[in-house]
């Protein structure tokens, strides 16, 4: 993987491949919702993270980019209710 950051912010269209970092499901959380989440890291830009999640059959996607993207990704997934995410995302 590429380890140097480009001089200008790349576009999501520049990501050629997504590698799955984390996937998990919660059936009936404390609010009674079914939640599924998948975290992917972009290549050749490892600072791109794409979170695809489904809450009660409604699918959404969230993108994070930059130096703090990994931490923000972990916090977002943790806040969805997945407490075991810490340490899985590289």
């Amino acid at each position: 993987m590429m380890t140097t950051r480009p001089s200008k912010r790349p576009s999501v269209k520049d990501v050629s491949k997504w590698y799955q970092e984390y996937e998990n499901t919660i059936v009936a959380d404390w609010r009674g919702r079914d939640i599924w989440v998948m975290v992917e890291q972009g290549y050749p830009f490892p600072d791109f993270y794409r979170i695809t999640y489904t809450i009660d059959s409604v699918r959404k996607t969230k993108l994070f980019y930059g130096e703090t993207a990994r931490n923000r990704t972990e916090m977002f997934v943790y806040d969805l209710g997945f407490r075991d995410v810490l340490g899985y995302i590289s």
Side-chain angles (χ1 to χ4, degrees), residues 7-40:
S7 59
K8 69 175 200 165
R9 179 187 170 141
S11 170
V12 176
K13 296 175 190 174
D14 297 332
V15 175
S16 61
K17 194 179 248 187
W18 293 97
Y19 291 105
Q20 183 176 327
E21 292 279 318
Y22 177 81
E23 182 178 11
N24 204 345
T25 303
I26 294 177
V27 178
D29 70 350
W30 64 276
R31 293 181 182 152
R33 304 177 305 174
D34 294 333
I35 304 173
W36 169 83
V37 68
M38 181 175 59
V39 177
E40 298 170 300

Side-chain angles (χ1 to χ4, degrees), residues 4 9-10 13 17 21 23 27 31 40 43 49 53-54 59 71 76 84-85:
T4 59
R9 179 187 170 141
K13 296 175 190 174
K17 194 179 248 187
E21 292 279 318
E23 182 178 11
V27 178
R31 293 181 182 152
E40 298 170 300
Y43 175 82
Y49 288 92
Y53 61 101
T54 304
R59 187 181 197 114
N71 293 337
F76 184 82
D84 62 342
V85 70

Side-chain angles (χ1 to χ4, degrees), residues 22 39 73-75 77-78 82-89:
Y22 177 81
V39 177
T73 300
E74 279 187 344
M75 285 190 305
V77 175
Y78 187 88
F82 297 92
R83 304 297 183 234
D84 62 342
V85 70
L86 301 177
Y88 272 92
I89 300 172

